[in-house]
Every structure is written in C-alpha cells, then in structure tokens.
Amino acid sequence: MRRTGWPTRCALGALTVALLAGCASRIEGTAVSIYDNPFTVAGLAVSSGPSGPRSGVPDAEVTVENGDGGDVDILVGNAIADIEAYWERTFGSIAKGTFEPVSTLLSWDPSERRGPEFCGEPTFDFVNAAYCSGGDVIGWDRTFLLPELIDVFGPMSVVMVLAHEYGHAIQYKSGIVSDDDPGIVFEQQADCFAGAFVRHVAEGNSEHFQLNTSDGLNSVLASMVQFRDTDPNDPDSVHGSAFERVTAMQIGFSDGAEACTRIDATEVESRRADLPQFFDSSDDGELPVTAESVEQIMHSFDYVFGLSSPPTLDLSGSDLGCPDAKATSPVSYCPATNTIGVDLEELAERGAPPESGSNPFSADVRGDYNAYVLLASRYALAVQREAGASLTDAQTALRAACLSGAISAALSPTNVDPTGNPDESLVWLSPGDLDEAVSGLLTDGLAASDVNGNTVPSGFARVDAFRTGVLGGEAGCTGRYH
C-alpha cells in the first residue's frame, strides 16, 4: 500500500438493488449459474479425495530422450500422455487441422556438464522446464526443479507445469500466436490452457491422475503463486504476477480451452488497465501496520463506499464481546455495534515482510496487504449489513472476498479522483499487493469468511471471488453473489 490520493467511489446502491430484486416479482423458470452454489468450484462439487497419480494404472509408453527411467521421468511421461489425449479431443475446438503431438521429450540433469543441449543451449545449470518451438521439444530438469515441486506442492504441480509447457506447443501448432505477440500473451494463454486441462483431471477424465477440488486444487494454485513475476519493473517479467497467473488459470478451468484463445494483448491490457504496474523508485510499496496506517486505510474505505453509517474502529483488540458474532482474530466485525475490532500486534505480524533466507519455494507471499485485505473483508461485512444482506452464510463469505477485491481495485492509483481534496491523505494499492491477498486466500481464507469466520472450503472459489471484485468491481460482486 502507498499513501495519498483519492480513489473512486463504489456505489452501495447496486448491492442493495441486487439483494432486494428477488422480492419484486416472480418469474417462472430458473437460470442456474455455476456460482449459485458457494460449495462448488466453477460448477464442480468440492471434493476431498486423493490427488496425484492413480494407483494400479499402467505407466504410459512414452519415449523420453536422455531419461533415467526414474520416478520423475515416469511421472512426466504419464502427464504428457494424458495431456496429449486431452488435446487429441480438444484441438479441433480452438483451431483447424489435426492435432500433432510434440516431436521430442527431453530429460536432463543440470549437474551434468556433458548433458544434452536444449534449444541449442547447454542444459548444464539449466534448472527449468520449457518448450522449444524450433525443435518442437518439451524438456525438463529431473534432478532439482521437479523433485522440489513434488516435495513442496505435490505431484500435481508437475502436471500443471507440463500442461503449461504443452500449452506453448499448442499455441504454435494452432497458429493462434505469432512472434510479434508480447511475452505476457504467450504465458497467460499457456496458463489458461493448463487450467482447462486441470479441470479435465478434476472431472475424472485423466487416465493417470486425479485431483480433488479442495486442498489438491489449492496446491496447484499455490505452485503458480510461487512462479510469479516479482519485479514488474523488470522488462523480462513476462510470466505475470501471481494474480494474473491465477486469473488465467481460472479462466481456463471455468470456461474451457476456447476461452483461452481470446486472451490477447488487448484482453490482458484491459485487465491491467486499472491496476498498478510499476513500483515508484522512491517507494517499495510496503506500509507497515500501525495504528496510524489502520486508521488511514479505514478512512480510505469510508471514502470508497460512502456508507451512511460507516463502521467505527476499535484498536483495543479483536474480541469486542459482540452479542451477535464471534471474534475472528486479528480483525473482527460486530454487527450489533457496527464496529471493527483490531488486534494491532497480531495484524502487524500478518503484514510483516518475509524474513531473509526464507524458503524460496514457498507460496506464502508476505507483505502489508496480507493484513490490510483482512481489514477490507471485515469492512465488506459492514457494507453488506447496510445493504440488508445476511452476514452468516457462505454467500456472505464470498461477497466479503469479492467486495475486498472491489475495494482493492478502487484503491489503485490509476483510479485517483483529481477532484478530491488534496489535503486528505489516503492509501492506495501497490504492485504485489494483490499477490499477497491471493496467497492469504489460499492459506487460511479469513478474508473470505462470514461474520463468524466461517469460510468456504475451496481456495479456488475464494480467490475467484476476490478476482471478480478486482476486475468487475462492486457490480461484478452483486451480479455473481446476489
């Protein structure tokens, strides 16, 4: 977060109208949205079964050059076989012609000085997985990268990586991209194609793999958070932020491979238009959690929503002794008194940056917005209270996440209102803040919980609600989580 500026206001009336519209008239027939049931994941039931390789299924007969026949190469071979089976059925929906598998699969050990070349370059010290369009080759490091992914995020993270790389192959084979397209388009489409395949697995259609839609899918998303661009000022940052990568994956998972073909430079830019893209050279974007900063951000929320009765702030602790809601540490909302209670010390701990030497493979993105998004979600409950909405069900939880996203976008510096009072000091969004929010939503979900701290079991659904608010604003929230 950063100080100063006037963000644009959100219109509370839209939420009120959406909540009351159902009482105005009765229409025969029901239009069912995949978002009507908060306990589903883009229309799929939330499942808690096993994730990873299916037991008792013969390994695929796949030729891997320079392979060692070990567990990693076998896992990759099975993943490639299932990905190719998916594209055999799906390719015709996105392009003309017949699907042709990649020509070569290449495995290497980056510690071998005399290892094979990949795309004309030595694989020594090349800790990566990639697609080479020149030779139509998918290659991977079997010794360091993929084993580490398996240890931290589980085997389905490797399947996700291979689905992403195969997505690049599909781009070239279908001709839906050209070398003139920005790198971010290549990466967003590949993430989207990978998301479409992951849904195929979650639906039970993969021969060698299975995926539950709770912690299994959460781990896949967490692996994408890990491999995000962290410095938007770096011209080589073309993979996208965690927010962007998860967004693209969710587009594919929810809407299928055909939707991925609509991702181009214009579409990506439309999603980026109202969000901060670069760090100010004099500001690292971190606003330490203090009594002053919490008061400032509450003031910013007041301006964004313009509630007739904004909540008051109590910095004495999160347990307010509320008669109609449970305490949720480190931030609580009490409807009876319309008060937000904050345990400042614990909230500051949530918003502390990572310690030096922390695990480089962690998807726990730490920073100030880990804390401030919790405050936004409790403020979102006050917004719902004023609109006359229920505060104690799963739709409440998803509306809280969605409205937190809407608040976040409204606090973007690109939404500064030049007619605002320049003497007022508010706060606004910085690059990286949305990644911190996504990480928190996957980790514990408090920012997507009702007034009693009850959340929905799917991290995918929590993040999806938040991004709906970021990209669609309050209108997007009321349209989906009415």
Side-chain angles (χ1 to χ4, degrees):
M1 302 296 294
R2 300 191 332 191
R3 289 189 173 92
T4 198
W6 281 101
T8 54
R9 291 179 183 265
C10 291
L12 178 64
L15 180 60
T16 307
V17 169
L19 290 167
L20 297 180
C23 301
S25 62
R26 180 174 179 178
I27 301 174
E28 294 300 324
T30 303
V32 179
S33 165
I34 62 173
Y35 303 104
D36 281 347
N37 185 345
F39 294 104
T40 62
V41 181
L44 297 182
V46 176
S47 57
S48 57
S51 286
R54 292 185 185 274
S55 60
V57 178
D59 294 325
E61 295 183 3
V62 174
T63 300
V64 176
E65 292 191 4
N66 196 53
D68 67 355
D71 291 344
V72 172
D73 282 350
I74 291 173
L75 176 72
V76 172
N78 288 336
I80 293 292
D82 287 10
I83 293 166
E84 289 181 341
Y86 168 79
W87 282 112
E88 183 73 37
R89 293 194 301 241
T90 308
F91 188 81
S93 69
I94 68 163
K96 296 179 180 179
T98 304
F99 168 71
E100 294 290 338
V102 295
S103 300
T104 305
L105 303 176
L106 179 67
S107 170
W108 64 78
D109 178 347
S111 67
E112 293 182 352
R113 292 185 176 274
R114 298 181 181 274
E117 287 192 346
F118 176 75
C119 228
E121 298 292 334
T123 53
F124 176 65
D125 269 354
F126 188 45
V127 180
N128 212 331
Y131 171 69
C132 176
S133 61
D136 193 28
V137 182
I138 288 179
W140 62 89
D141 152 31
R142 65 172 180 265
T143 306
F144 298 108
L145 175 63
L146 298 196
E148 187 69 21
L149 281 173
I150 294 168
D151 287 345
V152 177
F153 301 108
M156 285 305 302
S157 64
V158 171
V159 177
M160 178 71 189
V161 167
L162 271 298
H164 171 98
E165 297 309 330
Y166 218 108
H168 287 310
I170 295 299
Q171 290 171 324
Y172 282 97
K173 292 174 183 296
S174 63
I176 60 174
V177 294
S178 70
D179 290 337
D180 294 332
D181 285 313
I184 186 66
V185 172
F186 281 79
E187 299 304 329
Q188 288 276 278
Q189 277 189 356
D191 282 340
C192 185
F193 283 144
F197 174 73
V198 167
R199 184 182 182 108
H200 171 82
V201 179
E203 290 176 332
N205 297 320
S206 172
E207 180 180 356
H208 293 92
F209 298 95
Q210 55 195 332
L211 178 68
N212 72 56
T213 53
S214 52
D215 60 338
L217 186 53
N218 288 2
S219 294
V220 171
L221 290 173
S223 68
M224 300 189 73
V225 171
Q226 161 61 31
F227 292 102
R228 69 195 186 280
D229 290 335
T230 58
D231 182 4
N233 291 13
D234 184 350
D236 293 328
S237 293
V238 297
H239 281 83
S241 66
F243 179 79
E244 288 175 319
R245 296 205 67 187
V246 168
T247 292
M249 185 273 189
Q250 291 190 322
I251 291 171
F253 190 96
S254 299
D255 301 326
E258 290 180 75
C260 306
T261 65
R262 295 190 284 273
I263 294 177
D264 56 18
T266 301
E267 192 276 337
V268 172
E269 185 55 36
S270 71
R271 285 189 268 124
R272 287 180 159 185
D274 293 331
L275 301 176
Q277 295 301 314
F278 302 101
F279 285 114
D280 187 307
S281 60
S282 63
D283 189 351
D284 64 1
E286 292 296 307
L287 181 64
V289 177
T290 63
E292 179 187 6
S293 69
V294 170
E295 289 169 352
Q296 284 181 318
I297 200 166
M298 282 286 290
H299 180 56
S300 300
F301 295 164
D302 289 343
Y303 181 81
V304 167
F305 280 103
L307 299 180
S308 61
S309 179
T312 57
L313 177 64
D314 186 336
L315 294 175
S316 65
S318 58
D319 190 348
L320 299 169
C322 186
D324 59 349
K326 297 179 181 177
T328 58
S329 185
V331 186
S332 291
Y333 175 66
C334 180
T337 60
N338 195 25
T339 303
I340 292 176
V342 175
D343 182 328
L344 200 58
E345 182 177 352
E346 187 177 343
L347 189 65
E349 186 177 333
R350 288 279 192 122
E355 298 178 0
S356 59
S358 58
N359 182 4
F361 266 80
S362 172
D364 184 13
V365 185
R366 299 296 302 274
D368 61 348
Y369 213 61
N370 287 107
Y372 295 129
V373 74
L374 298 182
L375 198 63
S377 74
R378 301 307 87 182
Y379 195 99
L381 294 173
V383 175
Q384 295 185 62
R385 171 183 177 271
E386 183 154 313
S390 168
L391 300 183
T392 56
D393 58 30
Q395 289 284 17
T396 302
L398 293 178
R399 279 197 300 268
C402 192
L403 289 169
S404 296
I407 291 173
S408 301
L411 293 176
S412 172
T414 58
N415 285 326
V416 170
D417 181 356
T419 65
N421 185 344
D423 295 328
E424 292 284 356
S425 180
L426 304 183
V427 295
W428 60 34
L429 204 66
S430 291
D433 284 343
L434 297 183
D435 291 2
E436 293 162 12
V438 167
S439 175
L441 286 161
L442 287 173
T443 303
D444 65 16
L446 181 58
S449 66
D450 70 7
V451 74
N452 294 316
N454 299 317
T455 188
V456 294
S458 167
F460 183 103
R462 299 192 295 258
V463 172
D464 194 39
F466 178 77
R467 77 173 180 90
T468 296
V470 171
L471 300 176
E474 190 181 3
C477 300
T478 56
R480 180 175 291 189
Y481 305 109
H482 50 79

